Amino acid sequence: MIQLGLDSFGDVTQDAQGVALPMDQVLRDVVEQAVVADQVGIDFIGLGEHHRADFAISAPEIVLATIAGRTSHIRLGSAVTVLSTDDPIRVFQRFSTLNALSHGRAEVILGRGSFTESYGLFDHRLEDYEVLFEEKLDIFAQLVRQPSLTWAGQIRGPLTDQVVYPPLGPEGLVTWVGVGGSPESVVRVVRQDLQLMLAIIGGDPRRFAPYIDLYHRAVAQLERPIRPIGIHSPGFVAATDEEAIELQWPAYQSMFGRIGRERGWPPTTKENYLNEIRHGSLYVGSPETVARKIAATIRDLKVQRFDLKYATGPVSHGHLLTCLELYGEKVIPMVRDLLAH
């Protein structure tokens, strides 16, 4: 069955006067958003880890544990956990604990992240970018499959028959790897027998079809089982196309302008924004518009999961709650109906 979920980085929102809310309020708002998502039948919520002024969530598992105590059905995960600058054994312990407390609803999406603040913050070198992720992913992949770990590599001392607590229950732990579009990363996911989550944040989503083809070729060559494939893309739902476009545009412009200044990109324009909505990977519009676009992407790429990053820039908490209600009550049923016919 196709799963339809959500992602948030805890984007710092604004009050009615345009003043940024304090991060403690943003974190409490994210919990309330997840409660609403659970109530309207959304399958999953993922919280991203960042260490910068525009995103409030730096410790996703703590927020997820709070959400677990206030929800019943929605699956809970990260989007992503920056494994390169964390300890894979501690990440495993935190998610194993979350899985126990949520009665098996935890998932983890591991990745390298699209920002680099965590490297200096946690005393890691960018020169070790590749080896950090490669070896830590290997440790984590073994931990989710076996009761003890024997491992040796470059990044830490060896381990021999090491048991890590708490152990996973019989349901195990669903483990995804977030990939931005590197062929080597796709093959790594298959080699470790984990699940592929493609971050498609711009351009025609169908340009990622070769990566999905590569995944299936690698599965055949390495004789691994076929696992679900998911995609993550930004979007926003309102009552009408016009309302959604106009509510999202200032926040979108603010966020991409800020990141663009950091990375040397030219300022984004409303024409570029509208082009992404019409032809790219920005799912903004009325429930029917967004549902049709999601269904087309799922059908064309033949994926099993779609996660909507519903908060992009400083959209107000009230508008985000409306977006979640429309997504759960209208978009998801429409997508399922479109895919069934």
Side-chain angles (χ1 to χ4, degrees):
M1 184 178 180
I2 299 296
Q3 291 187 325
L4 292 142
L6 298 167
D7 291 328
S8 174
F9 301 161
D11 301 52
V12 172
T13 50
Q14 298 175 347
D15 63 17
Q17 287 70 46
V19 177
L21 293 176
M23 284 191 175
D24 59 347
Q25 183 61 54
V26 175
L27 290 169
R28 291 190 291 269
D29 287 346
V30 169
V31 173
E32 295 304 323
Q33 291 157 20
V35 170
V36 169
D38 184 58
Q39 291 169 347
V40 297
I42 295 168
D43 293 323
F44 169 83
I45 187 162
L47 305 182
E49 172 197 344
H50 292 85
H51 305 275
R52 43 185 290 128
D54 38 1
F55 303 122
I57 299 172
S58 62
E61 303 93 337
I62 293 178
V63 186
L64 291 166
T66 303
I67 293 168
R70 296 192 53 194
T71 58
S72 302
H73 307 291
I74 194 167
R75 296 188 64 79
L76 310 166
S78 57
V80 300
T81 293
V82 185
L83 187 64
S84 304
T85 54
D86 209 333
D87 185 311
I89 295 174
R90 290 296 284 148
V91 173
F92 173 84
Q93 289 177 320
R94 296 196 297 265
F95 275 93
S96 178
T97 300
L98 176 65
N99 206 41
L101 294 173
S102 64
H103 299 277
R105 289 188 282 141
E107 301 185 4
V108 60
I109 305 177
L110 305 170
R112 291 185 277 196
S114 59
F115 297 95
T116 59
E117 288 86 356
S118 63
Y119 285 82
L121 184 62
F122 300 118
D123 198 25
H124 292 284
R125 303 187 312 162
L126 277 170
E127 303 94 283
D128 299 328
Y129 187 85
E130 292 293 339
V131 68
L132 283 169
F133 189 69
E134 184 80 37
E135 294 199 353
K136 291 183 179 187
L137 185 65
D138 187 47
I139 292 171
F140 196 94
Q142 292 189 49
L143 285 172
V144 296
R145 289 199 193 93
Q146 55 199 40
S148 63
L149 174 66
T150 297
W151 186 91
Q154 301 177 47
I155 60 170
R156 58 156 299 146
L159 296 162
T160 302
D161 294 330
Q162 180 67 55
V163 179
V164 178
Y165 303 101
L168 290 171
E171 73 282 347
L173 178 67
V174 175
T175 302
W176 304 80
V177 180
V179 172
S182 157
E184 295 80 7
S185 296
V186 173
V187 175
R188 181 191 293 118
V189 173
V190 177
R191 191 172 66 246
Q192 294 289 5
D193 190 18
L194 301 173
Q195 296 184 183
L196 175 66
M197 179 64 71
L198 292 167
I200 308 179
I201 59 173
D204 186 339
R206 290 149 196 83
R207 67 192 176 91
F208 277 73
Y211 296 106
I212 294 173
D213 292 341
L214 173 62
Y215 170 86
H216 288 288
R217 293 201 307 274
V219 162
Q221 292 177 16
L222 296 174
E223 298 183 335
R224 296 287 194 268
I226 297 174
R227 303 288 185 191
I229 299 174
I231 60 175
H232 148 111
S233 291
F236 181 74
V237 190
T240 66
D241 289 346
E242 294 76 14
E243 182 182 5
I245 288 168
E246 293 308 314
L247 283 172
Q248 179 64 82
W249 164 240
Y252 183 92
Q253 182 185 36
S254 172
M255 190 190 77
F256 277 88
R258 183 172 55 253
I259 295 172
R261 288 190 293 274
E262 295 174 7
R263 300 184 179 184
W265 301 342
T268 190
T269 66
K270 195 164 187 181
E271 181 181 356
N272 291 338
Y273 166 72
L274 293 173
N275 188 60
E276 275 294 332
I277 292 172
R278 294 172 185 138
H279 308 294
S281 295
L282 192 52
Y283 296 75
V284 172
S286 67
E288 182 176 1
T289 295
V290 173
R292 289 188 179 281
K293 188 167 184 177
I294 291 174
T297 299
I298 291 172
R299 186 183 296 113
D300 291 346
L301 294 181
K302 299 180 176 63
V303 297
Q304 290 73 49
R305 167 104 146 244
F306 180 93
D307 290 343
L308 182 80
K309 196 213 175 248
Y310 68 93
T312 301
V315 178
S316 75
H317 175 56
H319 289 314
L320 292 177
L321 290 179
T322 300
C323 170
L324 299 184
E325 290 168 351
L326 292 171
Y327 184 67
E329 294 174 353
K330 295 189 175 182
V331 173
I332 288 178
M334 286 185 198
V335 171
R336 297 200 192 286
D337 185 62
L338 287 166
L339 293 173
H341 296 91

